[in-house]
Amino acid sequence: MSKNSLLKGALWGTIAVFLSKVLGFIYLIPFNKFLEVEQQIVFTSAYRIYAYVLLIATAGIPFATANMIAKYNAHKNYQVSFKLLRANVLLMFVIGIICASGLIILSAPLANIIVTNGTEPQIIANVSTGIKIIALALIFVPIISVIRGFFQGYMEIKISSMSQLVEQFINSSFILAILLLAGGGIVSNLFAVYFAVFCATLGSVFSLFYLVNKYRQLRKLFHNYYLEGQEAQTNKEIPTKVLYKELFSIALPYIMVILLAQSNDLIDLMYTIRGLVANGFTTYDAVEFYTIYGVSVNKLLTIPMTISTGLSVALVPHLAEAYAQRDILKIRELIMNIMEGTIVVLVPIALLMMAASYETFFVISGGKNADYGSYIFNYFAIYAIINTFSIIVDNMMLSLSQRKRALVFIGFATTVKILATFFLVKYFGIMGLAMSSILACLLSTVPSMIVLKNLFKLKYKKFFATLFLSFGASSIMFLIISFLANLISTTTFSGVFAETVLLYLLGAGIYLVIALRLKLIPKYIITRVFGVLGVQYD
């Protein structure tokens, strides 16, 4: 395992997910311009429910698949890889059918839970229909996820990441097309929303075709691995029953950890509207605020969170391999490099987006509700940093066989989140929602960091120094960009768009200059990033 190998995997993972999120932003402009709150809540609710059920269907098995393949490949027992792939594709198909059927059956009760407090019955019925439509994607996505886990186990992060990009590209392109048709009056807004929800299925089908094609192209390479294992006399036959037992011993705790860790969105979905109404909002305003948060704000929050996704994809096989080899020095080096690297990139992105939040929301909403969007996002910018870092720490705990402890920590944090969300939103409004999310992240992350410190004799002094310097450099950048944002006064869409691009470029340049002067970015990372991109750096 080399630093270049991890960096290359993380870079591909992050780039692919980042581009996927950018594609997701493209359709936000017509989404906010042409659709009313009544239609937007259908899209938001369907995707929120779908995302959480998808976690149930996919979270554990792909992770366990990548983990097991990396472990057995470290001992050159490549036969396990192909046996796992065949068995798990069938397993995930069955799981997908069960989850899709369950979501369809429960669509009406879920719609009543999500939108209530005087909401029109027709809106509830529309939300229910949206949930039924998006359930179809659950037939395909679980299969895709386990094939991605197979490629990740072989360190083929580029293929896994590109499949995500294909999925998002198809999804976003069709959503954009149908929204433009709705804006032109060719189709109704409600039909456009239903079709946009169906696009999750279209994207998954294209992604599946891509992965199957890549597997066929690499079949000869995989066969050579198999022969290598035979020559080394390590291709030992392991019964499927034994493999499934190991698979579920890894997957089930992981599923519980991920479900709890990612339950914030579901808890927010159930309590935000109710809490805002209790705070004094009208039902319409509460739904509108939640829709802005659920669509636009969350889209922006996922940009810094792409770091966690990219790193996690690359992290699982490398940590699993190092742990299987009991290489404590490599594990220690991996943990510290990932923590410090995450902070160096994550903090400036969040603060830069905060400084240019109004301009950003003006662009993605076409000027509609830019004040509200900016107001809500500024409360959640710090949460984006803490939550992203929390995801990284959770994945390290899982990869290093600390599943039970991670489950306890996240379970406690989730319990606090459930108990606190409604009351914090009731008394503090949208700020209370951010407070409950930040509190939950801290309650799970801090104990996990203490466990990792004690297990692997980590020294966090350099990490906290990096955190302090990164916040310092980002704060300088934040002040300059905020001043420029207030100084420049444009009102046209093209003018604000140009201003937004300028602010982001200037902010990135300012932070990069300061970070290099403070030596926040290690030289080996700069050299290897340029190397991965095919550019010579001295």
Side-chain angles (χ1 to χ4, degrees):
M1 187 276 298
S2 65
K3 288 177 182 176
N4 188 59
S5 176
L6 174 63
L7 180 65
K8 189 171 183 178
L11 187 62
W12 269 112
T14 303
I15 288 174
V17 178
F18 180 79
L19 289 176
S20 297
K21 301 304 179 185
V22 171
L23 289 171
F25 274 109
I26 295 174
Y27 67 73
L28 276 185
I29 297 174
F31 181 89
N32 288 311
K33 184 175 182 179
F34 300 135
L35 301 184
E36 299 300 326
V37 172
E38 292 87 345
Q39 292 112 34
Q40 291 180 1
I41 193 65
V42 175
F43 182 89
T44 306
S45 303
Y47 269 91
R48 279 294 180 89
I49 293 292
Y50 163 74
Y52 198 74
V53 175
L54 190 60
L55 282 175
I56 299 173
T58 65
I61 305 300
F63 173 87
T65 300
N67 199 303
M68 289 175 65
I69 288 175
K71 185 187 80 170
Y72 284 105
N73 284 1
H75 300 293
K76 298 187 182 299
N77 193 359
Y78 297 106
Q79 183 178 355
V80 171
S81 307
F82 309 103
K83 193 168 188 176
L84 268 177
L85 179 62
R86 290 191 298 271
N88 288 349
V89 165
L90 178 60
L91 175 65
M92 296 305 271
F93 175 72
V94 173
I95 290 175
I97 291 292
I98 293 172
C99 289
S101 301
L103 195 56
I104 291 171
I105 293 169
L106 296 174
S107 60
L110 287 171
N112 277 283
I113 292 173
I114 295 166
V115 281
T116 184
N117 297 311
T119 307
E120 294 180 13
Q122 186 57 51
I123 296 177
I124 297 175
N126 293 345
V127 170
S128 176
T129 302
I131 294 172
K132 290 176 183 176
I133 293 171
I134 207 166
L136 298 174
L138 291 168
I139 299 173
F140 302 98
V141 178
I143 298 173
I144 294 170
S145 67
V146 81
I147 298 175
R148 285 173 181 162
F150 172 83
F151 282 115
Q152 290 164 18
Y154 272 92
M155 315 298 180
E156 294 287 349
I157 308 300
K158 180 179 178 180
I159 293 175
S160 175
S161 301
M162 286 301 295
S163 72
Q164 291 177 275
L165 190 56
V166 168
E167 181 179 358
Q168 186 62 49
F169 177 78
I170 296 299
N171 189 359
S172 299
S173 298
F174 277 97
I175 291 177
L176 178 62
I178 196 66
L179 290 176
L180 291 176
L181 290 175
I186 300 174
V187 299
S188 69
N189 284 2
L190 187 59
F191 176 83
V193 168
Y194 287 155
F195 188 84
V197 171
F198 177 69
C199 287
T201 302
L202 289 178
S204 64
V205 170
F206 275 86
S207 180
L208 181 59
F209 283 147
Y210 172 83
L211 288 169
V212 170
N213 184 55
K214 282 297 178 182
Y215 180 84
R216 288 175 176 172
Q217 291 177 10
L218 295 175
R219 186 177 293 173
K220 185 177 180 180
L221 174 63
F222 293 141
H223 183 65
N224 290 337
Y225 277 126
Y226 183 82
L227 294 178
E228 183 182 342
Q230 283 187 325
E231 291 176 5
Q233 297 182 341
T234 55
N235 264 351
K236 298 177 182 179
E237 180 69 27
I238 301 177
T240 303
K241 183 179 179 180
V242 174
L243 287 178
Y244 270 141
K245 184 178 180 181
E246 181 180 357
L247 184 80
F248 284 109
S249 70
I250 298 172
L252 290 178
Y254 183 82
I255 290 173
M256 293 302 298
V257 168
I258 294 300
L259 287 179
L260 291 172
Q262 299 296 324
S263 62
N264 274 4
D265 286 347
L266 193 62
I267 296 169
D268 293 346
L269 185 63
M270 292 182 174
Y271 293 116
T272 302
I273 295 175
R274 297 170 184 268
L276 289 174
V277 170
N279 184 259
F281 283 67
T282 65
T283 301
Y284 183 89
D285 286 343
V287 171
E288 184 177 29
F289 255 74
Y290 177 75
T291 302
I292 294 170
Y293 166 71
V295 179
S296 301
V297 172
N298 259 291
K299 283 283 186 183
L300 282 179
L301 290 174
T302 57
I303 290 182
M305 290 177 188
T306 56
I307 298 169
S308 69
T309 307
L311 278 174
S312 296
V313 166
L315 168 71
V316 170
H318 285 289
L319 270 183
E321 181 182 64
Y323 191 75
Q325 297 171 346
R326 295 296 187 268
D327 193 333
I328 303 300
L329 290 178
K330 281 185 178 180
I331 293 173
R332 190 181 300 157
E333 182 183 21
L334 267 173
I335 291 174
M336 296 313 300
N337 283 341
I338 290 168
M339 283 187 175
E340 292 170 16
T342 301
I343 288 299
V344 166
V345 180
L346 180 62
V347 172
I349 290 177
L351 291 189
L352 177 56
M353 292 173 67
M354 190 175 177
S357 60
Y358 176 82
E359 290 74 15
T360 304
F361 274 95
F362 189 98
V363 170
I364 65 176
S365 67
K368 182 181 177 182
N369 293 325
D371 287 324
Y372 282 165
S374 176
Y375 168 76
I376 296 170
F377 178 81
N378 288 338
Y379 281 123
F380 283 89
I382 300 300
Y383 164 68
I385 298 172
I386 298 173
N387 185 53
T388 304
F389 190 77
S390 179
I391 294 171
I392 293 289
V393 173
D394 289 342
N395 277 281
M396 287 193 286
M397 290 283 285
L398 295 168
S399 298
L400 297 169
S401 296
Q402 299 302 309
R403 302 177 191 96
K404 291 183 180 179
R405 287 177 172 176
L407 184 59
V408 171
F409 298 151
I410 298 173
F412 174 70
T414 303
T415 303
V416 172
K417 168 76 176 173
I418 292 172
L419 296 174
T421 299
F422 174 79
F423 296 100
L424 287 175
V425 174
K426 178 180 178 180
Y427 291 107
F428 297 99
I430 203 70
M431 182 175 69
L433 186 61
M435 290 166 61
S436 68
S437 299
I438 291 172
L439 178 63
C441 286
L442 291 175
L443 289 175
S444 67
T445 305
V446 173
S448 294
M449 289 182 66
I450 294 172
V451 167
L452 292 174
K453 179 181 183 297
N454 293 334
L455 279 176
F456 302 105
K457 304 296 185 288
L458 301 176
K459 296 180 180 179
Y460 287 139
K461 183 177 180 180
K462 187 169 181 280
F463 165 75
F464 284 114
T466 301
L467 178 62
F468 176 78
L469 290 174
S470 182
F471 261 107
S474 300
S475 297
I476 295 172
M477 176 268 296
F478 172 82
L479 292 173
I480 295 173
I481 298 303
S482 296
F483 173 76
L484 291 175
N486 290 324
L487 185 66
I488 303 173
S489 179
T490 55
T491 55
T492 64
F493 180 85
S494 58
V496 176
F497 180 82
E499 178 189 346
T500 305
V501 173
L502 177 63
L503 291 176
Y504 276 108
L505 290 176
L506 283 174
I510 292 168
Y511 178 78
L512 186 61
V513 169
I514 299 174
L516 289 173
R517 291 296 298 270
L518 294 176
K519 296 183 179 179
L520 278 172
I521 306 175
K523 186 176 180 180
Y524 81 82
I525 289 183
I526 302 173
T527 303
R528 284 176 171 79
V529 167
F530 276 92
V532 170
L533 297 175
V535 179
Q536 184 67 32
Y537 176 85
D538 295 320

